[in-house]
Amino acid sequence: MTLRIHSLMECSTVNGPGWRAVIWTQGCSLQCPGCWNPQTHNPLFGFERKVPEIVEWFAKLSRKNPVEGLTISGGEPMEQAPAILELLHQLKAADPALSFGLFSGYSERELYSTDWLAIRNYLDFAVLGRYNPRRPGTNAMVSSTNQTLHLYTSRYSRADFAEQSVEIQIDDTGLTQITGFPILGSPVLD
């Protein structure tokens, strides 16, 4: 089973509690106006990785960084639900202490399916709901007020989620990644 990926980040502090790895999936049919990640919409872009390759990537980075968990964003992760489910299953089997979070533009009611229920059983938290630039949000983890932070386990409380901020990382090859919650809009790099 493979997952189409837009980008990977080894360590982030703005995509959930603690130090987290982040996977941005590629492909989103929702295409919310004003989306901060429009480059993730086309399902033909990005790259494919087999689930065991992603598990190995995560294992390697966990050996060098104190990673608490994984956050999956997009694109729209739920458009690849079977692969997401398999990834969470394999990661949890490898390390039962891992924390998992997910961002989806779908509401929980829209997601209600067998795949969603199985995925939700692995999640500690999820942010659900379409992004709406006319309803900017300032609460932790939500970009617009119609989105909701759901806590599915007792591992975290709302106090564990930091206020909104943006993180910029530049690796040794010059790859620049910007992630987080731009309260004043998307930053523009020249």
Side-chain angles (χ1 to χ4, degrees):
M1 189 168 292
T2 61
L3 187 62
R4 182 154 292 277
I5 296 172
H6 172 74
S7 183
L8 302 167
M9 182 177 277
E10 291 187 1
C11 195
S12 172
T13 60
V14 299
N15 287 284
W19 291 70
R20 309 184 72 77
V22 184
I23 295 174
W24 285 272
T25 61
Q26 184 69 39
C28 179
S29 63
L30 297 175
Q31 300 187 14
C32 299
C35 175
W36 198 26
N37 294 322
Q39 66 279 14
T40 66
H41 292 178
N42 189 328
L44 302 177
F45 293 169
F47 56 95
E48 285 190 352
R49 288 289 183 270
K50 291 182 179 176
V51 167
E53 293 174 323
I54 301 168
V55 172
E56 180 58 29
W57 166 78
F58 192 87
K60 284 180 183 176
L61 74 91
S62 293
R63 287 191 288 272
K64 66 180 182 178
N65 292 319
V67 178
E68 181 170 332
L70 173 71
T71 298
I72 303 170
S73 192
E76 178 49 60
M78 292 306 296
E79 291 181 7
Q80 299 184 64
I84 296 294
L85 179 57
E86 182 61 24
L87 175 63
L88 295 175
H89 175 75
Q90 288 190 27
L91 286 170
K92 195 64 149 181
D95 185 352
L98 286 176
S99 160
F100 297 112
L102 181 132
F103 285 84
S104 173
Y106 292 103
S107 69
E108 189 150 32
R109 194 177 86 238
E110 290 174 308
L111 286 171
Y112 208 80
S113 70
T114 302
D115 281 342
W116 168 245
L117 295 174
I119 288 169
R120 190 178 73 182
N121 284 333
Y122 286 99
L123 299 176
D124 294 293
F125 68 91
V127 175
L128 304 177
R130 285 172 183 68
Y131 173 68
N132 183 340
R134 292 182 303 275
R135 297 180 65 187
T138 57
N139 291 332
M141 304 295 288
V142 298
S143 301
S144 57
T145 58
N146 60 294
Q147 296 174 316
T148 305
L149 171 61
H150 297 267
L151 302 178
Y152 294 116
T153 68
S154 60
R155 181 173 186 149
Y156 300 118
S157 72
R158 294 196 184 279
D160 293 315
F161 293 85
E163 66 181 48
Q164 292 186 3
S165 63
V166 174
E167 187 172 74
I168 301 172
Q169 295 185 18
I170 305 171
D171 72 13
D172 54 358
T173 69
L175 173 68
T176 303
Q177 292 179 292
I178 303 170
T179 185
F181 303 88
I183 295 172
L184 300 176
S186 299
V188 177
L189 297 177
D190 294 320

